[in-house]
């Protein structure tokens, strides 16, 4: 740039000259030594510099102003918002029903609505923001509108108020004059300020009061009605022992003049009236009662009795009430006392009578037992005595068979035999019944093969049925039942016999129906049937429906026996019948458990052997009854055996000593003379001659006998003796050749 | 273009806050034409309420016109509005660059309050008195319209007085926070005599100071399109009082200036000066020292203060149109101004003419409602500058209930 400053065409000298001038001018300028004529430029220069500075300042100011404006604007916005919020709040609290005030954490009033300070116009003006809380409550306490009870001064109220203020939540009621009420609730805010709400509860209080009064009225009426309803006499006293309530019954019970008995009457005045007229019981004295009434301490309930005039007894109960008053109740217990007394007397006589009666009954029982016992003895004896000759007769008749070859003779014999049989049957039946009735029957319950029993039965009755032209079918179930074999046989025999006897045509069916644990034997017949009204009677003794049936066909004892036997064994017995169609008898017998051994007492059931000769068997017979002895001997000899007949044990032993020959078998009657038994006899003989098969014959069917025989290993046959059975035994006893 | 033709050839802009109108100086009774165009009522004495009342009317009068009778007539016609004005080196009307026109700018009373100070003799004035008057005026107006927030001062000064620097410097003290701008009255390109018009009279070697208070937001601005180059020259001989430089780089001024430009010294004319301005750099800024003419003795006569030892730097003009657009855009950031009252340097017009940018620039000026005149120099606050566009942008006031919108009249 410098090269253009100086014209390059100039000579160097000229250039130098010029440059020198330029530099000098510049130097003068720099040193600011221009003259006054340059004032204008100098002014300009100054002006420019000033302008720059002013400009800069102005810009700064403008910026500052902008910031200020901005912050003013923000402040204005914030102020507006604050104002709006404040205004909203003020509006909100103005709309609520309650008086509202907010105090800040410094206890200064921040804002309140126009209802705050309600009912207290004299403090309203002071309720401006900034008012301190203490100042506020002080003014309230001093307000002429505040209604305090006489006992409380404003200072007291103020103190209490300030104490309450310390709590976070307080609610209490303030009473104003003219019976107005304000409920004040104070709450601590989150930041430690206080909110006060005032609610006008005047109406509520009034309503409550009305309600309470009404309730009191209602209650009073209720109490009065209840008191009057009670059967007790009641009187109520207040803490000062003055009467405040009673009922009519009390007046009746105590017979106190109404004059004495008014509200407010003192206990003492009432008590004086009658304390001398009554007797106190339980060791209670009138003074005790007076002391109780008078005491200031807590009183325990008091209970005693008083007697008026000897006939009336009153139970008295006195109890303290919560307000230190007390209530006394009187109950007329005269009737109760009298009742108690009567009962006691009756009780005593009752015991006496019971004792008397018991004695009577004992006597009666003894007599009954004696009667029973004698009856049993009689029956036993009678049957025994009856059975013996009968047995003999039967045997004689039997033995006659071969001596009467003629037809007519045989017929007569048969009839005789039948008659005897009938007699035997009847006797047996009576014997059984008697035994059953006496309750002394022992049963030997064991496993009984039902099939075998029924088979035997079938064989027995088949001829009978066939003779009458009846079809007889008997089912033979392969079951073992739990029962007494003998009785079972008797039961079934009776039922089937009856069925055959009473059925003129048709059939008799004996079936066995399997039940869960039992077998039901059903005996069907197509007989005339039994009318319903007679179905009970048939089980009675000597009852026969068809009286035309001959005596030979039984005397109607069969069902009686069946009935009793079934009862004894616990086998349910039932009958169903339709007149004109037929009858069904059923007996339910329980099944024998499998573990029961099949060994059943076979007393009385022996395999019927075929008739065979007994060839030279030596039978020792011990039978004290001569008739029977003779009959038996005959019978046995009729079979081909030799009989050594003896009447007693001694005889037998003597005989054996005499002949020196041991018998093959012994048959002994159990009941021998002089209290000896056949068993003893047999045992004695066994000692003498060694073990021999032996048999006891007896009318005694008790279990004791059968047990004894079983223990001793003796056969037992019951009288009347079954000839075949005896024969079978003897055959079995034959020594093997 | 919103122009409405008045009764007899006077044009007025669409009704805004500030009204303006222009008329050729040649028409008969230009004042009447202007009055009608501005909407001033026909018979001032009749007191037509519907006509807008004006506080102030400024007339920029072409140097071709006879301004003395003009101002007299205007004073009567526009009363009670105050009427001031000056002669120009050209006008800026609603059509942009104009010449031979009389431009009237009217400020309605509804938005403007004005006080006017005449300095009749720039050689003989007491700064202190003026300052005091300024301060008093300002306070008066503040009292009158306390709600109006904008103030500015408009200076019209004799452009051949060489006293601009002095005056602005003196007046600066009295401005306070009020910005000042102004223009030097011109005499076309004759550089003969300029006039200031005030109170019905024309003055020379005078200045008219207008203080305005308004509720319209305003922005006073100065702008130029010049960029300093690296080419410097040193004033080695000068007559600061006469603003003449007779020696640059120890060589005769004009010749040396021409050499530095690479031009023929005999060919130097206003266009050259416009196209190749020189600036001085003070602080970080450059300020144009515009050359008025070449004196007969080869001295360079400047439009502004110079001194010996100044380092003058050649400056390059930017694209005027672009620059003007940018400046206008900058002024329109917050919204378009209602009016821009502009003092535009003669040399800018010269350069525009030379570079055939007159039409686009005129368009921009017209579109943006720029009115004013071409000056011999411009003032901003305490400075007197050259080759700038200086003025005030007046924005529409913010909508407020208190300001009743004037009933419009065409």
């Amino acid at each position: 740039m410098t090269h253009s400053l100086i014209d390059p065409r100039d000579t160097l000298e000229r250039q130098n000259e010029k440059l020198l001038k330029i530099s000098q001018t510049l130097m003068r300028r720099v040193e600011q030594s221009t003259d006054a004529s340059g004032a204008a430029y100098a002014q300009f220069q100054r002006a420019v510099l000033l302008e720059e500075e002013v400009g800069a300042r102005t810009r700064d100011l403008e910026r500052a102003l902008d910031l200020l404006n901005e912050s003013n604007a923000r402040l204005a916005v914030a102020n507006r918002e604050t104002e709006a919020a404040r205004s909203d709040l003020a509006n909100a609290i103005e709309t609520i029903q309650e008086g509202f005030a907010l105090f800040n954490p410094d206890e200064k009033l921040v804002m309140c609505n126009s209802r705050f300070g309600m009912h207290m116009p004299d403090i309203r003006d002071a309720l401006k923001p900034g008012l301190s809380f203490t100042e506020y409550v002080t003014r309230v306490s001093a307000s002429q509108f505040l209604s305090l009870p006489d006992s409380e001064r404003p200072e007291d109220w103020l103190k209490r108020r300030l104490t309450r203020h310390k709590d976070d939540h307080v609610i209490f009621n303030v009473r104003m004059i003219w019976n107005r009420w304000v409920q004040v609730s104070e709450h601590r805010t989150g930041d430690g300020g206080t909110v006060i709400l005032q609610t006008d509860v005047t109406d509520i209080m009034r309503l409550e009061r009305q309600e309470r009064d009404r309730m009191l009225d209602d209650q009073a009426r209720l109490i009065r009605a209840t008191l009057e309803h009670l059967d007790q006499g009641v009187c109520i006293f207040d803490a000062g022992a003055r009467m405040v309530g009673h009922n009519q019954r009390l007046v009746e019970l105590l017979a106190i003049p109404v004059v004495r008995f008014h509200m407010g009457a003192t206990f003492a005045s009432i008590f004086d009236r009658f304390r001398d007229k009554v007797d106190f019981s339980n060791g209670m004295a009138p003074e005790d009662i007076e002391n109780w009434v008078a005491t200031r301490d807590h009183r325990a309930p008091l209970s005693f009795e008083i007697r008026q005039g000897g006939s009336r007894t009153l139970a008295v109960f006195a109890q303290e009430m919560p307000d230190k008053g007390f209530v006394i109740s009187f109950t007329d217990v005269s009737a109760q006392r009298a009742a108690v007394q009567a009962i006691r007397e009756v009780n005593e006589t009752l015991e006496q009578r019971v004792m008397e009666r018991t004695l009577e009954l004992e006597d009666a029982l003894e007599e009954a037992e004696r009667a029973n016992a004698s009856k049993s003895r009689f029956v036993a004896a009678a049957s025994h005595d009856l059975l013996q000759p009968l047995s003999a007769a039967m045997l004689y008749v039997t033995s006659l068979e071969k001596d009467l070859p003629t037809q007519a003779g045989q017929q007569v014999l048969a009839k005789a035999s039948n008659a005897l049989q009938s007699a035997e049957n009847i006797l047996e039946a009576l014997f059984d019944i008697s035994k059953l009735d006496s309750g002394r029957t022992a049963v030997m319950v064991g496993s009984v093969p039902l099939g075998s029993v029924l088979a035997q039965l079938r064989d027995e009755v088949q001829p009978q049925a066939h003779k009458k032209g009846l079809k007889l079918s008997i089912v033979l179930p392969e079951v073992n039942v739990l029962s007494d074999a003998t009785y079972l046989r008797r039961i079934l025999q009776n039922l089937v016999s009856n069925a055959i006897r009473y059925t003129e045509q048709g059939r008799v069916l004996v079936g066995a129906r399997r039940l869960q644990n039992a077998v039901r034997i059903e005996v069907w017949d197509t007989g005339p049937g039994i009318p319903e009204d007679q179905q009970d009677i048939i089980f009675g003794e000597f009852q026969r429906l068809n009286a035309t049936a001959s005596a030979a066909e039984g005397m109607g004892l069969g069902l009686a026996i069946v009935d009793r036997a079934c009862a004894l064994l616990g086998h349910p017995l039932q009958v169903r019948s339709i007149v004109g169609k037929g009858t069904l008898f059923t007996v339910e017998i329980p099944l024998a458990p499998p573990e029961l051994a099949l060994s059943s007492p076979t007393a009385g059931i022996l395999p019927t052997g075929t008739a065979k000769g007994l060839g030279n068997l030596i039978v020792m017979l011990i039978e004290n009854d001569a008739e029977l002895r003779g009959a038996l001997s005959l019978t046995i000899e009729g079979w081909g055996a030799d009989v050594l007949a003896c009447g007693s044990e001694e005889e037998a032993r003597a005989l054996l000593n005499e002949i020196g020959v041991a018998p093959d078998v012994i048959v002994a009657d159990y009941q021998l003379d002089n209290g000896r038994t056949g068993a003893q006899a047999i045992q004695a003989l066994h000692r003498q001659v060694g073990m021999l098969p032996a048999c006891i014959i007896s009318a005694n069917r008790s279990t004791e006998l059968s047990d004894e025989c079983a223990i001793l290993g003796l056969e037992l046959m019951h009288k009347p003796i079954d000839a075949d059975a005896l024969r079978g035994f003897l055959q079995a006893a034959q020594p093997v050749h | 273009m919103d122009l409405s033709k008045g009764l007899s050839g006077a044009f007025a802009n669409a009704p805004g806050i500030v009204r303006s109108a222009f008329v050729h100086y040649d028409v008969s009774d230009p004042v009447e034409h202007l009055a009608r165009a501005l909407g001033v009522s026909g018979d001032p004495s009749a007191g037509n309420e519907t006509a807008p009342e004006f506080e102030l009317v400024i007339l920029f009068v072409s140097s071709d016109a006879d301004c003395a009778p003009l101002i007299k007539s205007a004073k009567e016609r526009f009363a009670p509005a105050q009427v001031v004005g000056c002669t120009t080196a050209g006008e800026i009307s609603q059509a942009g660059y104009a010449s031979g026109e009389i431009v009237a700018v009217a400020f309605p009373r509804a938005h403007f309050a004005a006080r006017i100070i005449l300095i009749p003799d720039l050689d003989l004035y007491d700064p202190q008195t003026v300052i005091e008057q300024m301060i008093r005026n300002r306070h008066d107006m503040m009292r009158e319209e306390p709600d109006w927030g904008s103030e500015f001062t408009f200076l019209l000064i004799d452009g051949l007085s060489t006293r601009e620097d002095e005056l602005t410097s003196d007046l600066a003290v009295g401005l306070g926070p009020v910005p000042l701008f102004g223009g030097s009255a011109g005499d076309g390109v004759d550089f003969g005599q300029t006039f200031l018009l005030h109170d019905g009279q024309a003055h020379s070697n005078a200045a008219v100071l207008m203080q305005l208070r308004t509720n319209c937001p305003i922005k006073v601005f100065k702008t130029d399109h010049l960029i300093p180059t690296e080419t410097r020259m040193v004033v080695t001989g000068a007559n600061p009082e006469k603003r003449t430089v007779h020696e640059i780089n120890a060589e005769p001024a004009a010749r040396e200036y021409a050499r530095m430009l690479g031009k023929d010294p005999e060919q130097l004319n206003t266009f050259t000066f416009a196209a190749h301005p020189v600036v001085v750099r003070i602080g970080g800024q450059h300020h144009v020292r515009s050359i008025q003419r070449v004196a007969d003795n080869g001295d360079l006569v400047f439009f502004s203060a110079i001194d010996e030892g100044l380092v003058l730097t050649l400056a390059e003009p930017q694209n005027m149109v672009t620059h003007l657009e940018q400046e206008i855009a900058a002024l329109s950031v917050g919204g378009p101004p209602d009016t821009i009252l502009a003092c535009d340097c003669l040399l800018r017009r010269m350069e525009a003419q030379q570079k055939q940018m007159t039409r686009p620039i005129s368009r921009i000026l017209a579109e943006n409602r720029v009115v004013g005149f071409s000056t011999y120099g411009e003032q901003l606050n305490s400075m007197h500058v050259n080759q700038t566009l200086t003025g005030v942008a007046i924005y529409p006031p913010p909508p407020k209930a208190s300001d009743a919108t004037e009933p419009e009249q065409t």
Side-chain angles (χ1 to χ4, degrees):
Chain A
M1 74 145 181
T2 41
H3 74 270
S4 61
L5 194 66
I6 304 296
D7 191 349
R9 292 183 300 226
D10 289 337
T11 62
L12 278 171
E13 279 163 0
R14 181 72 188 120
Q15 284 183 19
N16 277 344
E17 220 176 58
K18 288 206 285 192
L19 282 168
L20 199 61
K21 183 118 192 257
I22 290 171
S23 8
Q24 280 171 348
T25 315
L26 284 171
M27 282 191 285
R28 274 207 305 277
R29 172 119 216 107
V30 164
E31 287 169 356
Q32 294 181 355
S33 54
T34 51
D35 57 21
S37 61
Y41 187 79
Q43 248 167 4
F44 169 72
Q45 204 171 328
R46 272 202 303 278
V48 169
L49 291 170
L50 190 67
E51 270 316 301
E52 275 181 38
E53 214 164 302
V54 168
R57 287 282 174 280
T58 308
R59 279 193 294 279
D60 287 343
L61 278 170
E62 276 174 356
R63 255 202 306 277
L65 208 62
D66 284 342
L67 286 173
L68 198 64
N69 284 338
E70 207 183 295
S71 70
N72 276 345
R74 279 204 292 265
L75 195 64
V77 168
N79 280 342
R80 272 199 303 275
E81 284 175 0
T82 309
E83 201 40 52
R86 207 197 156 73
S87 165
D88 287 343
L89 183 61
N91 289 339
I93 65 171
E94 201 50 46
T95 58
I96 63 175
Q97 290 275 357
E98 280 85 8
F100 175 92
L102 172 67
F103 286 82
N104 67 13
D106 295 328
E107 303 274 295
K108 294 275 187 289
L109 180 65
V110 172
M111 63 194 321
C112 64
N113 68 359
S114 57
R115 283 185 68 73
F116 189 65
M118 60 171 73
H119 302 317
M120 284 193 169
D122 56 349
I123 67 165
R124 229 34 104 65
D125 295 331
L127 298 176
K128 302 243 180 327
L131 178 71
S132 82
F133 183 81
T134 316
E135 173 77 18
Y136 158 63
V137 292
T138 308
R139 279 174 185 266
V140 170
S141 70
S143 164
Q144 56 180 325
F145 290 91
L146 181 67
S147 168
L148 295 172
D150 297 335
S151 53
E152 194 174 11
R153 301 171 303 160
E155 302 82 58
D156 303 325
W157 186 90
L158 175 63
K159 209 190 316 179
R160 260 194 323 130
R161 178 75 181 86
L162 287 169
T163 316
R164 274 196 170 134
H165 177 58
K166 297 198 182 81
D167 294 336
D168 280 350
H169 300 280
V170 184
I171 298 185
F172 57 91
N173 292 336
V174 178
R175 187 165 176 200
M176 308 285 177
I177 61 173
W178 304 327
N179 208 22
R180 287 188 174 147
W181 287 86
V182 174
Q183 182 171 86
V184 177
S185 74
E186 241 189 57
H187 302 277
R188 197 59 32 97
T189 63
D191 63 348
T194 310
V195 163
I196 303 181
L197 290 167
Q198 297 172 338
T199 318
D200 187 334
V201 293
T202 310
D203 293 334
I204 295 172
M205 290 298 246
R206 288 212 186 113
L207 274 173
E208 226 172 87
R209 201 148 275 179
Q210 278 176 19
E211 196 57 36
R212 213 187 3 229
D213 289 342
R214 200 150 43 93
M215 261 172 48
L216 283 174
D217 282 344
D218 286 345
Q219 272 180 348
R221 274 201 295 274
L222 205 64
I223 289 169
R224 177 125 299 275
T226 309
L227 281 177
E228 291 306 328
H229 162 82
L230 289 173
D231 192 38
Q232 296 164 303
V234 178
C235 53
I236 307 163
F237 292 85
D238 66 7
R242 285 183 292 273
M243 197 185 72
V244 293
H246 70 279
N247 67 354
Q248 196 56 34
R249 184 100 177 97
L250 182 76
V251 176
E252 287 168 19
L253 284 176
L254 297 182
I256 294 172
V258 175
V259 171
R260 281 269 167 182
F261 220 68
H262 57 88
M263 298 289 274
T266 62
F267 175 82
S269 69
I270 299 168
F271 192 50
D272 281 340
R273 273 310 271 188
F274 75 6
R275 62 187 286 174
D276 297 325
K277 294 204 182 125
V278 298
D279 300 321
F280 293 84
S281 71
N282 301 24
M284 187 70 68
E287 295 73 38
D288 297 329
I289 299 166
E290 279 168 340
N291 289 342
W292 188 89
V293 167
T295 189
R296 288 277 131 224
D297 300 333
H298 174 69
R299 296 174 273 215
L302 204 61
S303 173
F304 57 91
E305 285 183 8
I306 55 176
R307 196 165 298 117
Q308 279 178 320
S311 61
R312 185 183 265 183
T313 309
L314 300 176
V316 186
F317 191 70
Q319 184 163 23
E320 185 175 71
M321 290 201 289
D323 64 348
K324 289 290 179 198
F326 56 93
V327 59
I328 307 180
S329 66
F330 296 82
T331 317
D332 189 341
V333 294
S334 321
Q336 277 172 293
R337 294 276 176 275
V340 166
Q341 187 62 25
I343 287 173
R344 204 177 297 129
E345 286 170 10
V346 164
N347 208 25
E348 286 165 6
T349 56
L350 191 69
E351 281 174 12
Q352 186 66 26
R353 287 212 304 272
V354 163
M355 242 185 356
E356 286 171 9
R357 188 54 55 88
T358 308
L359 288 171
E360 281 175 23
L361 283 172
E362 276 177 7
D363 289 342
L365 190 65
E366 269 180 40
E367 261 202 57
E369 281 188 346
R370 274 203 301 273
N372 203 25
S374 58
K375 185 187 103 181
S376 301
R377 278 199 303 276
F378 170 74
V379 165
S383 54
H384 187 266
D385 291 343
L386 281 171
L387 282 172
Q388 298 276 63
L390 190 62
S391 203
M394 284 171 72
L395 285 169
Y396 284 129
V397 165
T398 313
S399 65
L400 268 177
E401 277 178 20
K402 50 185 192 302
D403 292 337
L404 282 180
T406 64
Q407 183 85 0
Q410 287 281 350
Q411 274 181 355
V412 170
L413 201 64
K415 285 203 174 93
S417 184
N418 281 342
L420 285 171
Q421 188 65 43
S422 291
E424 188 200 354
N425 288 345
I426 290 167
L427 275 176
E428 262 190 37
L430 281 172
F431 196 44
D432 282 341
I433 288 172
S434 150
K435 275 189 57 187
L436 286 168
D437 270 348
S438 73
R440 294 248 185 91
T441 313
V443 292
M444 279 169 44
V445 174
S447 177
V448 180
L450 187 62
S452 316
V453 172
L454 286 170
Q456 199 171 15
L457 187 64
R458 183 178 60 187
D459 292 339
E460 285 172 15
V461 302
Q462 182 71 30
Q464 216 177 330
H466 181 71
K467 205 155 45 166
K468 284 186 87 170
L470 302 171
K471 184 162 176 316
L472 175 68
S473 350
I474 297 185
V475 170
L476 302 178
E478 296 286 319
V479 292
N480 291 323
V481 294
L482 197 67
S483 186
D484 180 304
T486 315
Y487 277 109
L488 182 63
R489 202 178 106 74
R490 294 294 295 281
I491 290 163
L492 295 174
Q493 185 184 40
N494 271 318
L495 289 175
V496 176
S497 302
N498 269 356
I500 293 173
R501 187 177 305 135
Y502 285 99
T503 306
E504 293 306 319
Q505 61 182 44
R507 58 190 292 216
V508 170
L509 165 69
V510 178
R513 198 184 294 274
R514 281 294 284 267
L515 302 176
Q516 184 133 15
N517 284 321
V519 172
R520 191 160 71 218
I521 313 276
E522 297 173 354
V523 181
W524 300 85
D525 70 46
T526 54
I530 306 168
E532 224 173 292
D533 55 352
Q534 293 182 347
Q535 281 175 11
D536 285 329
I537 302 171
I538 53 173
F539 292 104
E541 296 146 12
F542 303 113
Q543 295 298 324
R544 282 198 312 184
L545 286 178
N546 194 349
T548 60
S550 67
E553 293 177 323
M555 284 190 71
L557 294 169
L559 283 180
I561 294 171
V562 168
D563 184 35
R564 285 166 173 77
C566 285
L568 187 66
L569 290 168
H571 300 327
L573 173 68
Q574 280 174 340
V575 60
R576 283 213 317 263
S577 183
I578 301 175
V579 173
K581 274 204 84 169
T583 309
L584 164 67
F585 280 89
T586 67
V587 181
E588 246 178 68
I589 311 162
L591 293 172
E595 57 270 17
L596 212 62
L598 289 176
S599 59
S600 49
T602 54
I605 299 174
L606 284 173
T608 49
T610 51
K612 250 184 14 202
L614 287 174
N616 300 327
L617 186 73
I618 300 170
V619 179
M620 167 131 279
L621 173 66
I622 308 175
E623 170 61 68
N624 57 340
D625 186 298
E627 286 271 1
L628 191 58
R629 191 168 62 242
L632 276 169
S633 302
L634 207 61
T635 310
I636 295 170
E637 281 168 355
W639 294 334
D642 292 327
V643 177
L644 304 171
C646 306
S648 68
E649 183 187 328
E650 289 79 14
E651 252 188 70
R653 282 168 64 181
L655 187 59
L656 280 180
N657 284 337
E658 219 182 287
I659 62 175
V661 175
D664 295 313
V665 65
I666 306 172
V667 177
D669 179 23
Y670 189 71
Q671 219 167 330
L672 300 173
D673 294 334
N674 305 324
R676 300 292 294 176
T677 69
Q680 288 168 327
I682 292 169
Q683 276 181 302
L685 289 172
H686 278 160
R687 282 197 291 276
Q688 199 169 347
V689 296
M691 286 302 286
L692 297 170
C695 169
I696 295 283
I697 56 175
S698 174
N700 187 339
R701 289 173 199 248
S702 71
T703 43
E704 288 95 341
L705 181 58
S706 51
D707 286 342
E708 198 183 336
C709 292
I711 290 167
L712 295 172
L714 307 171
E715 285 294 333
L716 177 61
M717 268 186 247
H718 290 114
K719 295 182 193 168
I721 297 166
D722 189 341
D724 290 328
L726 182 61
R727 189 169 179 165
F729 169 69
L730 293 174
Q731 264 179 305
Q734 270 180 318
V736 179
H737 297 299
Chain B
M1 263 308 305
D2 15 335
L3 283 180
S4 52
K5 195 135 187 243
L7 274 175
S8 48
F11 293 88
N13 65 344
I17 306 296
V18 176
R19 300 266 190 114
S20 61
F22 68 97
V23 72
H24 201 266
Y25 82 96
D26 224 352
V27 306
S28 64
D29 203 358
V31 173
E32 184 56 36
H33 289 299
L34 286 171
R36 295 256 177 91
L38 288 173
V40 180
S41 61
D43 188 358
S45 52
N48 189 342
E49 285 90 25
T50 59
E53 270 203 7
F54 292 111
E55 171 77 357
L56 171 69
V57 179
I58 308 176
L59 299 173
F60 301 113
V61 183
S62 168
S63 56
D64 298 332
D66 191 1
C67 51
L70 188 76
I71 187 66
K72 204 149 179 251
S73 157
K75 179 189 167 182
E76 283 164 20
R77 186 64 184 84
F78 293 128
Q82 301 167 85
V83 185
V84 294
C86 67
T87 54
T88 70
E91 302 76 49
I92 302 174
S93 69
Q94 290 95 338
Y97 278 137
S99 54
E101 306 282 336
I102 304 171
V103 173
V105 183
F107 295 86
R109 186 157 289 174
H111 296 280
F112 295 89
R115 294 286 187 276
I116 305 179
I117 300 174
L118 171 69
I119 301 168
D121 191 341
L122 285 171
D123 295 326
L124 285 172
Y125 70 90
D126 178 20
Q128 201 56 39
T129 315
V130 176
I131 290 163
E132 279 166 18
Q133 184 63 44
M134 280 169 70
I135 292 171
R136 270 201 296 276
N137 287 343
R138 185 159 171 255
H139 284 128
D140 277 346
M141 287 197 294
M142 275 163 71
R143 269 198 303 275
E144 216 175 81
E145 297 288 351
D147 298 328
W148 292 359
S150 306
E151 295 167 278
F152 66 91
T153 308
F154 186 28
L155 176 67
L156 292 172
I157 185 170
D158 187 330
L160 297 170
S161 64
T162 71
R163 284 274 186 273
E164 297 97 325
D165 300 279
E166 197 181 311
L167 182 62
T168 54
S169 185
D170 287 338
L171 292 181
V173 180
L175 286 176
V178 183
L180 176 145
F181 79 98
S184 300
D187 181 23
V189 289
D190 294 338
F191 307 105
Q193 192 178 26
T194 69
F195 293 99
L196 279 304
L197 309 172
H198 174 267
D199 198 24
Q201 289 189 329
H203 303 263
S204 285
N205 199 29
V208 171
L209 187 70
M210 289 159 275
Q211 291 172 279
L212 280 95
R213 188 176 176 88
T214 173
N215 67 344
C216 301
I218 56 110
K219 189 167 195 303
V220 170
F221 65 93
K222 165 178 90 77
T223 185
D224 69 70
H225 65 292
L226 305 169
I227 299 183
T229 65
E230 295 297 317
T231 313
R232 292 184 179 75
M233 58 195 93
V234 179
V235 175
T236 49
N239 184 348
E241 280 188 19
K242 291 200 163 63
R243 289 188 182 161
T244 56
V245 171
H246 57 261
E247 198 176 271
I248 295 177
N249 292 345
E251 290 282 0
R255 198 145 62 84
E256 186 63 6
Y257 175 70
R259 184 191 71 78
M260 297 211 76
L261 294 179
K263 285 190 183 282
D264 179 6
E266 308 303 318
Q267 300 275 333
L268 296 177
N269 55 21
T270 319
F271 289 111
T272 321
F273 303 137
H276 304 282
V278 293
V279 300
V280 293
R281 294 164 92 151
I282 304 172
Q285 299 191 1
H286 64 269
H287 301 271
V288 179
R289 305 282 98 184
S290 300
I291 302 168
Q292 197 189 92
R293 58 190 168 87
V294 179
D296 298 329
N297 58 1
D299 290 349
L300 287 174
V301 182
F302 280 79
F303 274 121
S304 42
I306 40 88
D307 200 358
E308 281 182 7
L310 279 187
V311 176
L312 300 175
T313 311
L314 265 181
E316 286 272 324
Q318 293 173 290
N319 183 310
M320 283 186 79
V321 177
T322 318
H323 167 263
L324 183 62
E325 278 172 350
Q326 282 169 2
E327 286 309 310
I328 300 271
L331 285 174
S332 304
V333 161
D338 177 83
T339 307
I340 299 178
L341 184 59
C343 302
D344 187 57
C345 189
L346 165 66
L347 293 172
R348 282 171 55 88
R349 178 193 279 239
M350 298 269 105
E351 186 189 332
Q353 279 175 359
Q354 189 175 43
K355 295 185 178 164
Q356 275 133 17
M357 291 182 178
T358 317
R359 203 166 296 138
I361 292 179
S362 291
R363 189 174 49 73
I364 294 170
L365 293 172
E367 275 174 7
N368 289 282
R369 302 158 66 90
V370 181
V371 289
F373 69 109
S374 295
T375 66
Y376 282 175
E378 305 78 55
Q379 293 81 43
L380 183 71
N381 295 331
S382 55
M383 296 187 296
H384 174 69
V385 294
N386 294 139
Q387 214 145 350
T388 67
L389 171 65
T390 300
V392 66
I394 301 172
Y395 299 91
K400 256 182 149 184
S402 52
D403 297 332
T405 324
E406 287 181 348
E408 307 296 3
Q409 256 197 9
T410 51

